[in-house]
Amino acid sequence: MNHFCKEASQLQSDGFERGLTVTEHIRLRIHLLICGACRNYSENLELLNNIFQGMRKQKKIDKSISLPDGDRGRIRAALKTASDSDN
């Protein structure tokens, strides 16, 4: 995975939690035009998002459920450690 793919995957994930800036959105769109692997990843993220939204509508998942900040931090640290070991 190259630098641009890492940035694109991060932007795609960030896009579910916050709005992307215009610059971020453009960079992501350009990358998705040229990278099939990231396009596939994006489609999979959208599919998962749609599944979860459907479950929320069916009240199977409470909208107030969220990952605690401590757990979120531990996951980010583990992903960073794994990413650093790949380099």
Side-chain angles (χ1 to χ4, degrees):
M1 179 183 289
N2 67 42
H3 168 74
F4 297 108
C5 292
K6 286 181 182 180
E7 179 184 4
S9 63
Q10 184 64 52
L11 287 173
Q12 290 175 80
S13 295
D14 288 350
F16 287 105
E17 295 184 21
R18 64 172 177 84
L20 298 179
T21 66
V22 172
T23 302
E24 290 172 329
H25 185 73
I26 291 170
R27 288 176 61 91
L28 176 60
R29 288 289 150 216
I30 290 171
H31 182 76
L32 292 177
L33 285 173
I34 61 173
C35 183
C38 287
R39 263 193 319 274
N40 187 40
Y41 178 73
S42 179
E43 290 168 5
N44 288 331
L45 281 179
E46 283 294 327
L47 176 63
L48 286 172
N49 187 50
N50 291 339
I51 289 169
F52 287 130
Q53 284 181 352
M55 291 173 69
R56 285 185 188 107
K57 288 178 184 175
Q58 294 177 9
K59 305 249 184 221
K60 289 184 180 176
I61 295 179
D62 184 341
K63 289 182 182 179
S64 66
I65 295 174
S66 65
L67 191 62
D69 289 338
D71 292 337
R72 190 181 302 254
R74 283 192 290 281
I75 291 170
R76 281 193 179 123
L79 289 171
K80 182 171 179 10
T81 299
S83 175
D84 290 346
S85 68
D86 287 344
N87 295 327

